[in-house]
Amino acid sequence: MRNAAPSSFAHSRQGLLLLHAVLSILDKLSPENANAHEEKHNQQRWVIEEYIEHHFTDDSGLDGLAEELFLSTRQTRKLVRKFMGEDYKSIIIRRRMELAEIYLQDGDKTFEEIAWLVGYRSYSGFQLCFKRHFGMSPSQFRERKTD
């Protein structure tokens, strides 16, 4: 029979690890940390929204946004989906198509000019994307809106 005194749970390695984990969780749940965490998310969301608003017509892409956030492209992709509810590419296409719709309704620009203004470097790429988005070509869309 062993005569060694039983070690208490608090002094065992497992007990210390568990205590550290519990304290870490409690620290994260404290109101100060929750507010700081929420503030960080609000700032990141603002950066994402502003970046998209100012860069959806250029070729900066997700890599440019990742640089702004000081995150990897993978982390940025996840953050965009979390905050915006859709992936980066879908957001960019939707914003470009919304702008193209405005230009087409105005009727004073050529299709090639519109393609360039909304971020496409070729009319064929713009036309293909437009048709997928609206179910008709830009010329059909313009004709329908003028009727």
Side-chain angles (χ1 to χ4, degrees), residues 51-74:
Y51 184 87
I52 289 170
E53 186 60 32
H54 291 97
H55 295 281
F56 74 92
T57 60
D58 63 35
D59 295 328
S60 301
L62 192 60
D63 292 333
L65 177 56
E67 286 178 24
E68 292 285 325
L69 292 169
F70 301 102
L71 297 172
S72 70
T73 303
R74 184 172 183 230

Side-chain angles (χ1 to χ4, degrees), residues 6-87:
S7 66
S8 71
F9 184 72
H11 293 290
S12 72
R13 178 162 174 74
Q14 293 165 334
L16 289 174
L17 289 173
L18 180 60
L19 181 61
H20 178 71
V22 168
L23 290 174
S24 176
I25 290 169
L26 289 174
D27 186 48
K28 290 178 182 174
L29 294 176
S30 73
E32 298 84 23
N33 283 343
N35 289 340
H37 189 69
E38 185 178 336
E39 180 61 29
K40 179 182 177 187
H41 279 225
N42 288 340
Q43 289 173 352
Q44 288 174 324
R45 183 184 190 106
W46 182 83
V47 168
I48 291 168
E49 290 170 352
E50 287 296 307
Y51 184 87
I52 289 170
E53 186 60 32
H54 291 97
H55 295 281
F56 74 92
T57 60
D58 63 35
D59 295 328
S60 301
L62 192 60
D63 292 333
L65 177 56
E67 286 178 24
E68 292 285 325
L69 292 169
F70 301 102
L71 297 172
S72 70
T73 303
R74 184 172 183 230
Q75 290 170 311
T76 302
R77 184 178 295 112
K78 288 180 180 181
L79 213 54
V80 168
R81 181 170 285 288
K82 175 182 176 180
F83 291 144
M84 308 302 284
E86 59 186 319
D87 64 48

